[in-house]
Amino acid sequence: PAPRTAAQLAPFVGDYGLPHIAIDGDHLTYSMLRRPPLTLIPLTADTFVGAEEPYARYQFERSNGRVTAITVLGPHGPTARYQR
């Protein structure tokens, strides 16, 4: 997938309870507590894969066009859902 601009990534940035989403260059990062941030690589408009954890998917949810939650999907289905 093509790199995204900061303007394209900005709607995803913020706190989702424990997880924090940030921009690092042309990609998003996912961090929680004291773990090192994971690089998120886009698969679709709202779904990303962890570069360091390719078995995990990060699905962002929208309501009225605004990003409102993220669900972490493991190889066997949803593992956690976090709201803004």
Side-chain angles (χ1 to χ4, degrees), residues 49-70:
V49 62
E52 298 85 355
E53 296 179 354
Y55 58 84
R57 302 287 185 267
Y58 300 83
Q59 175 67 52
F60 290 89
E61 298 173 29
R62 294 180 186 261
S63 177
N64 297 323
R66 206 175 136 258
V67 178
T68 57
I70 182 173

Side-chain angles (χ1 to χ4, degrees), residues 15-40:
D15 292 315
Y16 295 79
L18 292 175
H20 178 75
I21 304 297
I23 296 174
D24 184 7
D26 63 357
H27 59 270
L28 294 175
T29 61
Y30 174 97
S31 58
M32 186 185 304
L33 304 172
R34 294 183 180 173
R35 296 183 193 135
L38 300 172
T39 301
L40 298 184

